[in-house]
Amino acid sequence: MLPTKAVIPVAGLGTRFLPATKVIPKEMLTVVDRPTIQYIVEEVVASGIKEVVLVTASGKSVIEDHFDYSFELETFLAQKGKMDLLNEVRHISRLIEVVSVRQKEPLGLGHAVNVTRQVIGDQPFVVCLGDDLVESEQPCVYQMLRVFEKYQESVVAVQEVPEEDVNRYGIAEGQEVEPSVFQVDRIVEKPQPGETSSRLAVIGRYVLRPEIFDCLDRTLPGIGGEIQLTDALDTLRKERKLYACKFQGNRFDAGDKLGYLQATVHLAMDHPDLGPAFKRYIKEIAEKL
Ligand code: G1P
């Protein structure tokens, strides 16, 4: 059975991006021509997911509005005959079913995932973190689902990071069982220098078996005093198996100011309408540097 639901935690305060995120949720910051959350939703839709479960907090309802039908706007665009814009707006509300669950306290990513238990039920599901944008030929989640389909066990997406960045991520250790697929024999959240020799960093994409919920129930607060999904995954890999998929593609940390600028430049260069003119502009300014 393949997952049909994707959990996207959006309850965070976006403190890395203040002051922009004082009022606007970080998930609604625009990269080129759409909010970052729309890239994530488009990725899961393109991977075959049928329903998105947002884990929200107060001040985040604008995200739900973005994926909702906007009667006023659609009527206005239809009356003005602006059909291209109308189709663009309709496309968003027709993308996918969206349900929301509240995370009432900011107790960490593991806690955010655990509050979706009733909505997910006893089936595998996907988790996508909104800060991580992946530009790839085949969607990152699609690549992971192929690994899940083969092994029927939970899968995390990984990429190699420089040694000095290892303490910023969940790090997976394991053996490569086929090209780009590792069986994980330890996973540790934000390890201290010397604590691991692996440089396989988990980026924000997970395909999880429902047994993760029982593991989360047993997970005590870890790094930062938060309930870490990584710690629950380390329990899961002891009781079942866990795989890591080194995906093909470029990942951007859009929750970080520099990563956001890099995502903007890359995605603008690849944009079907804006790309050619934007590339010319980039060349022009690069020559003056
Ligand atoms: C979270 C996860 C971490 C993962 C990272 C990817 O950390 O806890 O394991 O490597 O996302 O972006 P955060 O960035 O929320 O501190």
Side-chain angles (χ1 to χ4, degrees):
M1 183 184 179
L2 276 176
T4 58
K5 297 181 184 187
V7 170
I8 310 181
V10 296
L13 289 173
T15 48
R16 287 194 294 160
F17 226 123
L18 282 168
T21 48
K22 186 179 169 199
V23 176
I24 300 169
K26 64 173 175 176
E27 297 79 11
M28 290 304 291
L29 295 180
T30 306
V31 170
V32 189
D33 60 356
R34 66 201 66 191
T36 56
I37 182 99
Q38 192 176 325
Y39 287 96
I40 312 280
V41 170
E42 285 172 349
E43 178 184 332
V44 298
V45 170
S47 306
I49 296 296
K50 305 288 178 225
E51 190 177 323
V52 160
V53 181
L54 297 175
V55 184
T56 67
S58 63
K60 298 281 183 160
S61 56
V62 65
I63 301 173
E64 288 148 280
D65 293 346
H66 183 72
F67 295 101
D68 198 1
Y69 172 57
S70 171
F71 175 77
E72 208 180 345
L73 181 60
E74 291 193 17
T75 310
F76 174 82
L77 293 172
Q79 278 168 359
K80 294 280 177 194
K82 295 184 187 288
M83 299 322 277
D84 284 355
L85 287 177
L86 178 64
N87 289 336
E88 184 82 24
V89 167
R90 276 199 181 143
H91 157 77
I92 303 167
S93 60
R94 290 176 183 176
L95 264 177
I96 197 160
E97 286 303 317
V98 176
V99 301
S100 302
V101 184
R102 281 271 178 151
Q103 184 185 16
K104 292 176 186 161
E105 293 171 278
L107 298 181
L109 174 62
H111 178 256
V113 171
N114 212 8
V115 299
T116 66
R117 185 180 201 145
Q118 297 304 322
V119 185
I120 298 296
D122 194 24
Q123 52 175 310
F125 63 105
V126 167
V127 175
C128 292
L129 305 189
D131 284 347
D132 292 299
L133 295 187
V134 181
E135 184 201 40
S136 54
E137 239 167 70
Q138 276 189 337
C140 180
V141 168
Y142 180 88
Q143 296 177 42
M144 296 170 76
L145 287 174
R146 301 293 69 81
V147 178
F148 177 83
E149 204 169 27
K150 179 162 175 191
Y151 296 95
Q152 295 293 314
E153 295 289 352
S154 302
V155 183
V156 293
V158 292
Q159 67 168 16
E160 254 170 56
V161 295
E163 204 169 338
E164 61 271 25
D165 289 344
V166 157
N167 63 358
R168 295 173 44 199
Y169 297 92
I171 299 292
E173 296 170 3
Q175 308 306 318
E176 199 164 18
V177 289
E178 63 172 283
S180 301
V181 178
F182 297 78
Q183 188 180 324
V184 176
D185 41 48
R186 182 173 174 238
I187 183 164
V188 51
E189 181 68 11
K190 304 195 172 75
Q192 292 304 308
E195 213 186 307
T196 179
S197 55
S198 170
R199 292 198 285 114
L200 289 181
V202 176
I203 69 111
R205 301 285 185 277
Y206 309 80
V207 181
L208 300 175
R209 291 189 53 99
E211 289 82 357
I212 192 69
F213 292 119
D214 285 335
C215 299
L216 283 166
D217 283 347
R218 288 181 270 138
T219 300
L220 299 172
I223 290 267
E226 298 188 341
I227 297 174
Q228 298 290 349
L229 179 58
T230 305
D231 294 343
L233 284 167
D234 201 50
T235 309
L236 185 72
R237 65 99 193 148
K238 288 177 197 151
E239 296 175 7
R240 298 192 61 100
K241 283 179 182 164
L242 175 66
Y243 289 88
C245 165
K246 205 161 134 192
F247 62 96
Q248 302 288 320
N250 292 318
R251 170 260 181 180
F252 304 100
D253 180 3
D256 168 78
K257 290 177 185 177
L258 184 61
Y260 175 85
L261 288 174
Q262 290 164 341
T264 303
V265 170
H266 271 264
L267 294 168
M269 288 201 292
D270 286 345
H271 191 279
D273 303 332
L274 300 167
F278 187 69
K279 272 187 201 154
R280 280 198 297 278
Y281 175 68
I282 291 283
K283 262 195 195 142
E284 211 179 289
I285 53 172
E287 277 160 19
K288 290 184 198 151
L289 287 177

